[in-house]
Amino acid sequence: MSDRHSVGIVTPQTAVFDAPIQLASGATLPRFELVYETYGTLNADASNAILICHALSGHHHVAGRHHPDDKAPGWWDTMIGPGKPIDTDRFFVIGVNNLGGCHGSTGPSSIDPETGEPYGSRFPVLLVADWVKTQAMLADRLGIRQFAAIIGGSLGGMQALRWTITYPERIRHALVIASAPKLTAQNIAFNDVARQAIITDPDFHGGDFYRYNTVPRRGLRLARMLGHITYLSDDGMGEKFGRMLRSGEYKFGYDVEFEIESYLRYQGDKFSDAFDANTYLLMTKALDYFDPARHYGGDLAEAMRQAQAKFLVVSFTTDWRFAPDRSREIVKALLDAKKDVSYAEIESAHGHDAFLMEDAPYQALMRGYLLRIADEVNPLPLEARA
Amino acid sequence: MSKAIKPAKANPVANNFELRPDLNQISHWIARGSRVLDLGCGDGALLSWLADNKDVRGYGVEIDVDGVVACISRGVNVIQSNLEVGLAQFEDDSFDYVVLSLTIQAMHNIEGILREMARVGRTGIVTFPNFGYWENRWQILKGRMPVSETIPYDWYNTPNIHFCTVNDFDQLLVKIGMKNTGRVVLANGKRVEFMPNLFGNLALVRFEQQRDALKD
């Protein structure tokens, strides 16, 4: 994409909430901050806002660049910008770093006002419902009563789903991408291996490693390497790396020999330098706990009956972390609840990560759906229509 | 620029279009305000027209991603799915009508899909090319596989694997315990009353589960 399709240079903002907030677990935070970015212009009746919910390791920086020399743009820059599927000429787009995050929002590495030290192990466990609640508080702050759409992939899709149940009147469309109505035992198992890698790292210090001026880098690195394997597909990995050797021959040792080893270690290192270990634990735990049917006798359709939004559910053929069958469970519940829902199963070699990629049918689908929403909430003036 | 002469809609797909003759005929059979499931819905033209003109709500089912994108661009609910695996995602009796238009001849499990249609809907509507059409018979007489307006493929590249005549389809409905509740046969978009199995190239059949068959 050329620069004219980029939102350009963006600056994060901070919303400060000074009153205590009670979380779903029963714990209370005396105050909190959310870091967010916005792109595009909110229209006069505030009807064109789209909230982008992030996945496990995501954040508020969704599109554009912070500095002209930034190597990479925001994590969903392929999807968001002027003339892109989430068109910032038509929509006011908000990216937010979730509570508990490590990119500016209040999280485990923030200072606990009661102790003057980082929260660390004292930071409460969060549920998806807590994020949705705090996102609604941010929306209030920005004067947005109802979102044109709330969009998320993976854990972000769960937030979009939760929005439709908790605040049915505040969301017109939910785009739930590469997601699931709840984790399977296998999903939870992967998450726990990742958490155990972190928790058993000697540098973790029970979550209070900030005090020791250290970081459980090895644990985070392993957690990320494991995660990364589950985000790619076997085919995609085979296509990109196969059994390629770095030196062209076997060395009969345990150093990096295969290209895939090199790649995973690089990803792990990069991540362990940039991400907070406690945030990783919180986010995976929120994933594990997510189950909107729980309060409806395990009946997801019953939960979805609360919704007023229209839904687009998207899955990817090679995603085995949240396979198409998991998306079909959501679709089935929505059909049973007689909701407006469309479902697309996109062919992609990219596995779970496909929701971040530029597969042409995926882009066409998102563009088509979002154009309808744009016309619904923010019709173009007559002279601008071609 | 073209905007001076084409100011109409921001939406590239207008919904007040004219329907294909077979879809037009189907639309006459569908009551205002009903719930419709359109199997193999293609670009969603029927559902879109029914929503705008008859206040119909429903879903399309389509396997091809371009069709799915077209439906979504029209604002039609669509579920991307393979009909051969059945309609398990839909509950019993959840629709007033289930439509299967010009798709059945390309399916493997025809008895299965007809039963599924009767399960999830009150009324089934099927349209199919009539193999008994005189031009098809004539081409066979001449020793060639028929190629025509409703069967526009050569034998080696056709997706159609199960051709039938109007009479054949009636017999199948009886065999699986369905009741034919209406039939229209068209030739080039016009209704054929005289010897329809010979002079019609497109058949529309409406059917329901026979009540006593349910007891078996």
Side-chain angles (χ1 to χ4, degrees):
Chain A
M1 286 275 178
S2 67
D3 264 348
R4 122 189 121 76
H5 294 296
S6 168
V7 297
I9 303 299
V10 291
T11 311
Q13 302 168 68
T14 304
V16 180
F17 299 87
D18 261 327
I21 180 175
Q22 176 149 36
L23 302 168
S25 66
T28 303
L29 282 176
R31 66 186 292 284
F32 69 97
E33 297 181 2
L34 292 180
V35 169
Y36 66 99
E37 287 179 10
T38 71
Y39 326 99
T41 311
L42 191 63
N43 61 5
D45 59 355
S47 63
N48 70 332
I50 289 183
L51 177 68
I52 310 292
C53 300
H54 68 73
L56 185 56
S57 60
H59 44 67
H60 55 281
H61 183 39
V62 185
R65 286 173 158 78
H66 288 155
H67 309 284
D69 47 353
D70 271 355
K71 259 198 269 168
W75 57 265
W76 223 12
D77 195 72
T78 53
M79 199 58 85
I80 300 165
K84 290 183 186 176
I86 302 171
D87 188 347
T88 50
D89 286 340
R90 310 281 303 270
F91 292 112
F92 177 67
V93 179
I94 305 167
V96 59
N97 184 211
N98 284 346
L99 186 66
C102 54
H103 294 92
S105 293
T106 299
S109 60
S110 307
I111 299 298
D112 178 353
E114 277 176 32
T115 63
E117 278 190 55
Y119 278 100
S121 60
R122 293 166 47 86
F123 199 87
V125 166
L126 294 165
L127 296 194
V128 169
D130 293 317
W131 291 332
V132 166
K133 181 176 175 179
T134 52
Q135 288 161 358
M137 292 169 77
L138 177 64
D140 291 341
R141 191 68 68 84
L142 296 173
I144 296 156
R145 202 188 57 78
Q146 183 189 56
F147 282 103
I150 297 181
I151 308 177
S154 195
L155 181 54
M158 293 173 170
Q159 292 165 59
L161 210 54
R162 168 48 74 192
W163 260 95
T164 66
I165 301 167
T166 307
Y167 301 110
E169 71 293 345
R170 298 195 69 170
I171 165 172
R172 291 178 73 94
H173 293 267
L175 283 76
V176 179
I177 306 168
S179 196
K182 61 176 186 283
L183 294 199
T184 60
Q186 188 193 47
N187 293 148
I188 295 171
F190 277 126
N191 282 347
D192 198 48
V193 174
R195 280 192 297 266
Q196 287 304 312
I198 291 169
I199 289 168
T200 58
D201 185 318
D203 285 330
F204 183 62
H205 297 291
D208 295 318
F209 50 89
Y210 316 97
R211 203 182 290 160
Y212 299 85
N213 232 347
T214 179
V215 169
R217 196 166 271 119
R218 284 164 292 186
L220 258 176
R221 181 171 180 258
L222 282 178
R224 183 59 171 181
M225 286 170 76
L226 173 75
H228 218 90
I229 295 167
T230 69
Y231 303 149
L232 305 177
S233 72
D234 194 16
D235 285 350
M237 217 185 257
E239 213 169 274
K240 198 164 167 190
F241 304 102
R243 293 180 52 87
M244 263 188 306
L245 294 164
R246 298 189 78 193
S247 70
E249 54 191 47
Y250 291 0
K251 299 274 196 198
F252 306 105
Y254 298 103
D255 285 338
V256 172
E257 289 192 66
F258 293 94
E259 285 293 349
I260 183 63
E261 295 175 313
S262 162
Y263 173 76
L264 281 181
R265 289 183 200 195
Y266 169 76
Q267 292 293 340
D269 287 338
K270 202 171 74 168
F271 189 73
S272 66
D273 286 336
F275 209 81
D276 179 81
N278 284 315
T279 291
Y280 202 85
L281 300 184
L282 279 178
M283 298 276 169
T284 55
K285 221 40 196 169
L287 267 166
D288 292 358
Y289 285 132
F290 183 71
D291 181 8
R294 189 165 158 258
H295 297 295
Y296 297 88
D299 182 350
L300 186 62
E302 201 51 47
M304 296 324 298
R305 276 198 187 99
Q306 316 308 312
Q308 295 171 19
K310 297 182 175 186
F311 290 80
L312 176 65
V313 179
V314 184
S315 71
F316 299 91
T317 50
T318 53
D319 184 352
W320 60 283
R321 183 84 191 232
F322 290 162
D325 274 348
R326 308 310 316 285
S327 285
R328 277 194 227 108
E329 288 174 39
I330 299 172
V331 172
K332 173 85 173 82
L334 289 167
L335 288 171
D336 289 353
K338 298 193 166 21
K339 299 297 168 187
D340 281 300
V341 53
S342 284
Y343 170 62
E345 201 167 300
I346 302 290
E347 269 196 50
S348 167
H350 294 118
H352 186 55
D353 269 356
F355 82 88
L356 300 169
M357 303 295 177
E358 266 187 286
D359 291 308
Y362 173 41
Q363 291 256 325
L365 182 84
M366 294 290 280
R367 187 180 292 281
Y369 195 87
L370 283 149
L371 196 61
R372 291 292 299 198
I373 304 178
D375 288 343
E376 196 179 291
V377 299
N378 196 18
L380 285 179
L382 204 61
E383 63 274 13
R385 298 178 192 178
Chain B
M1 278 295 285
S2 59
K3 68 186 176 195
I5 43 171
K6 213 171 73 179
K9 281 198 163 194
N11 175 4
V13 187
N15 283 341
N16 50 354
F17 50 89
E18 238 176 77
L19 279 175
R20 216 169 64 197
D22 59 317
L23 299 181
N24 184 41
Q25 184 60 48
I26 293 171
S27 74
H28 291 319
W29 276 347
I30 288 176
R32 180 168 293 279
S34 54
R35 286 178 59 82
V36 174
L37 179 66
D38 186 3
L39 305 175
C41 66
D43 63 7
L46 177 66
L47 282 172
S48 165
W49 190 92
L50 288 172
D52 289 356
N53 296 284
K54 283 199 156 180
D55 201 19
V56 159
R57 295 194 60 203
Y59 307 93
V61 177
E62 176 57 46
I63 192 167
D64 175 58
V65 72
D66 293 333
V68 171
V69 170
C71 287
I72 277 168
S73 301
R74 284 193 139 113
V76 166
N77 291 327
V78 60
I79 309 296
Q80 190 172 17
S81 178
N82 183 355
L83 295 176
E84 298 286 1
V85 302
L87 305 174
Q89 68 259 53
F90 302 105
E91 291 294 301
D92 295 0
D93 292 323
S94 42
F95 297 94
D96 298 307
Y97 304 91
V98 184
V99 175
L100 182 67
S101 180
L102 292 181
T103 303
I104 199 163
Q105 75 279 2
M107 291 194 64
H108 286 270
N109 187 0
I110 286 180
E111 288 185 46
I113 194 69
L114 292 175
R115 286 204 169 92
E116 279 285 82
M117 289 173 74
R119 178 183 66 79
V120 304
R122 204 159 42 79
T123 300
I125 298 173
V126 171
T127 78
F128 57 90
N130 174 27
F131 207 69
Y133 184 48
W134 71 269
E135 277 191 15
N136 297 338
R137 301 188 192 193
W138 178 242
Q139 288 185 55
I140 292 210
L141 261 175
K142 288 198 298 184
R144 302 289 304 272
M145 280 298 282
V147 178
S148 67
E149 184 195 319
T150 48
I151 312 177
Y153 299 96
D154 288 304
W155 66 273
Y156 51 86
N157 66 10
T158 181
N160 300 325
I161 53 175
H162 281 138
F163 280 125
C164 67
T165 69
V166 170
N167 297 347
D168 289 332
F169 192 77
D170 273 354
Q171 279 189 14
L172 176 62
L173 284 184
V174 171
K175 186 203 155 211
I176 62 173
M178 305 288 168
K179 185 173 67 177
N180 182 326
T181 62
R183 185 176 73 190
V184 170
V185 179
L186 303 174
N188 308 312
K190 296 228 165 57
R191 203 165 166 157
V192 180
E193 306 282 1
F194 177 66
M195 296 182 78
N197 196 32
L198 184 62
F199 292 119
N201 60 3
L202 188 75
L204 296 90
V205 175
R206 195 171 58 190
F207 65 95
E208 283 171 24
Q209 182 96 50
Q210 277 203 337
R211 288 292 144 201
D212 47 354
L214 278 172
K215 290 178 201 140
D216 293 344

